[in-house]
Amino acid sequence: MKELLRTNDLVKLSWLQALLSEAGLESLVLDSHASVLEGSALAIPRRLMVLNEDYEKARRVLEEAGEEQGPEERLW
């Protein structure tokens, strides 16, 4: 699996997962339980992951949707 994004923005994660799903791509959010255990203090960002073979297509889907890297996020 490859990481597409790290963020604590749950709305953005949900939106990106919906975009990927519409494109026929499966995704997985990692670290959500660890983030909750830390009291949701935003200390542990959640990671949006896709299969290695879907990575390039997933990047294109997000780029076409206008999703760009923010200061608190790492995209690609």
Side-chain angles (χ1 to χ4, degrees):
M1 296 203 79
K2 283 193 165 188
E3 179 181 324
L4 281 174
L5 172 84
R6 270 181 208 213
T7 185
N8 286 314
D9 186 338
L10 299 180
V11 174
K12 186 170 193 164
L13 277 174
S14 178
W15 163 245
L16 297 177
Q17 282 194 289
L19 286 175
L20 295 171
S21 179
E22 284 182 14
L25 301 170
E26 291 187 42
S27 63
L28 177 67
V29 175
L30 298 181
D31 302 323
S32 56
H33 296 302
S35 183
V36 169
L37 288 175
E38 289 295 321
S40 296
L42 305 178
I44 301 174
R46 291 171 169 105
R47 295 178 289 159
L48 182 60
M49 310 292 287
V50 293
L51 295 173
N52 291 344
E53 58 267 22
D54 293 339
Y55 181 74
E56 291 302 322
K57 182 177 179 183
R59 282 187 51 199
R60 283 192 305 275
V61 167
L62 299 187
E63 286 174 354
E64 290 171 5
E67 291 300 323
E68 297 179 17
Q69 180 177 354
E72 75 286 350
E73 301 163 337
R74 185 169 57 83
L75 198 54
W76 306 287

